[in-house]
Amino acid sequence: MDGSEAPTTTAQARPSHNPLPFREDCWSEEATYTLIEAWGDRYIELNRGNLRQKHWQEVADAVNARHGAIKKNRRTDVQCKNRIDTLKKKYKIEKARILASDGTLTSSWPFYYRLDALIGSTVPAKKPSPPLALPLPYRKTPPSLPHASPVPVAVRSAKEKRPSPAVDDSFFRRNYSAVAAAAAAAENDADSESSRSSTESRRRDGEADGFRQLAQAITRFGEIYERVEGAKQRQMIELEKQRMQFAKDLEFQRMQLFMDTQVQLEKIKRAKRAAAADGNL
């Protein structure tokens, strides 16, 4: 009997020594605290502005310096940014839940109060108005008087169909949390859309500046090319004038030489004729 129970006890106790499966992307509470502190310091330094990529890399380095001894625990800048975004969404839902309770509830989430000190002033403190159909169960029906007039059947049946206040309170809280979560998600989507719009606007402005500079460069190149071509044409005209003048002078000298030669030949002929005439005499 004792021998059969011993293996069962050992088998039951063995799972407690096996660690649960570890996800490489999960964050421990200590690492999350370090992440919030590293991000919060730079968030305050930037006057509660958005961190750039170099700042996120500094945050990741700070987290890895304390918790990155094991390679699988090391975090990248993208993982740190995604973790902060997740914490912000969780904080907004938690804050909406506390505001909906009119101060009767407190948060047991360990990171709530640190995030509230960092981004509490940037989250609207006004409670979102609940749907109009939900507060109806909170209307208390005045007790009926002994000699009051009979209540109409339709009104009485409607009152009987209303659920009890305790059930309505739970229903309201669940729906209100869902509405608050949806509102937080919509706000985050709106922030992302605004960020994308501003990025797209800056990109278009950069492209417009690039095209403007390219057009100015082309205009300057055209002006320089026009001046060079004008100087080249003027130089060619001047060279053509000089060539024509040189050809004219050369032709004039050739004609002068030809005429001088003809005059000399004519003189020689006359001298020969004169000598021949004298010989005949």
Side-chain angles (χ1 to χ4, degrees):
M1 194 69 180
D2 295 335
S4 62
E5 292 179 355
T8 303
T9 305
T10 304
Q12 292 176 352
R14 186 178 300 129
S16 62
H17 298 287
N18 295 332
L20 294 176
F22 178 78
R23 290 178 52 191
E24 293 186 359
D25 60 341
C26 68
W27 286 73
S28 64
E29 186 171 327
E30 293 79 7
T32 302
Y33 271 121
T34 304
L35 172 67
I36 293 175
E37 291 302 324
W39 166 77
D41 293 341
R42 289 155 182 82
Y43 179 69
I44 296 300
E45 290 176 0
L46 295 174
N47 197 18
R48 301 183 185 276
N50 294 327
L51 274 67
R52 298 184 179 274
Q53 192 276 334
K54 64 176 183 179
H55 300 132
W56 286 114
Q57 186 60 50
E58 293 174 358
V59 172
D61 293 340
V63 174
N64 293 328
R66 297 190 60 181
H67 308 281
I70 303 176
K71 183 177 181 181
K72 64 182 181 180
N73 291 339
R74 297 186 65 83
R75 307 294 177 180
T76 64
D77 53 344
V78 177
Q79 288 176 325
C80 293
K81 184 178 184 302
N82 293 339
R83 178 61 173 168
I84 288 295
D85 292 340
T86 302
L87 293 173
K88 285 182 180 179
K89 294 177 183 179
K90 171 67 176 177
Y91 166 76
K92 291 178 181 180
I93 297 174
E94 192 75 5
K95 188 176 183 69
R97 184 179 68 85
I98 294 175
L99 291 176
S101 67
D102 293 327
T104 59
L105 296 178
T106 58
S107 176
S108 60
W109 190 40
F111 313 115
Y112 174 79
Y113 294 101
R114 182 56 181 144
L115 288 173
D116 188 61
L118 290 171
I119 62 175
S121 59
T122 61
V123 177
K126 183 179 178 181
K127 295 186 295 183
S129 58
L132 298 177
L134 294 178
L136 292 177
Y138 288 88
R139 296 178 182 175
K140 296 182 179 180
T141 305
S144 58
L145 299 177
H147 301 287
S149 59
V151 181
V153 177
V155 176
R156 187 166 61 251
S157 61
K159 291 179 180 179
E160 292 174 355
K161 292 180 180 179
R162 290 179 181 175
S164 62
V167 176
D168 291 337
D169 183 74
S170 176
F171 176 79
F172 174 76
R173 291 184 187 280
R174 287 197 304 270
N175 283 272
Y176 189 83
S177 298
V179 171
E187 181 180 356
N188 185 71
D189 292 340
D191 294 341
S192 300
E193 185 64 26
S194 176
S195 177
R196 286 194 297 269
S197 299
S198 61
T199 303
E200 184 67 20
S201 178
R202 288 194 297 271
R203 186 180 64 82
R204 287 197 298 268
D205 293 340
E207 291 179 354
D209 292 338
F211 287 131
R212 190 179 301 109
Q213 294 176 1
L214 179 61
Q216 293 175 355
I218 293 174
T219 302
R220 289 195 298 270
F221 177 77
E223 293 174 353
I224 295 173
Y225 181 79
E226 184 178 359
R227 289 197 297 268
V228 171
E229 286 296 320
K232 186 186 295 184
Q233 290 180 2
R234 288 192 297 271
Q235 186 177 7
M236 291 178 64
I237 292 173
E238 186 66 25
L239 290 174
E240 184 66 18
K241 288 181 179 179
Q242 293 178 4
R243 188 187 67 80
M244 293 177 65
Q245 183 66 33
F246 178 76
K248 185 185 297 184
D249 294 342
L250 184 62
E251 183 67 18
F252 177 77
Q253 292 177 4
R254 189 180 68 82
M255 292 298 297
Q256 186 70 29
L257 180 61
F258 178 76
M259 291 177 63
D260 291 344
T261 302
Q262 292 296 324
V263 170
Q264 292 296 331
L265 291 174
E266 188 64 27
K267 288 181 179 180
I268 292 172
K269 289 179 180 180
R270 287 181 181 178
K272 287 181 177 181
R273 284 197 295 270
D278 293 340
N280 292 329
L281 291 179

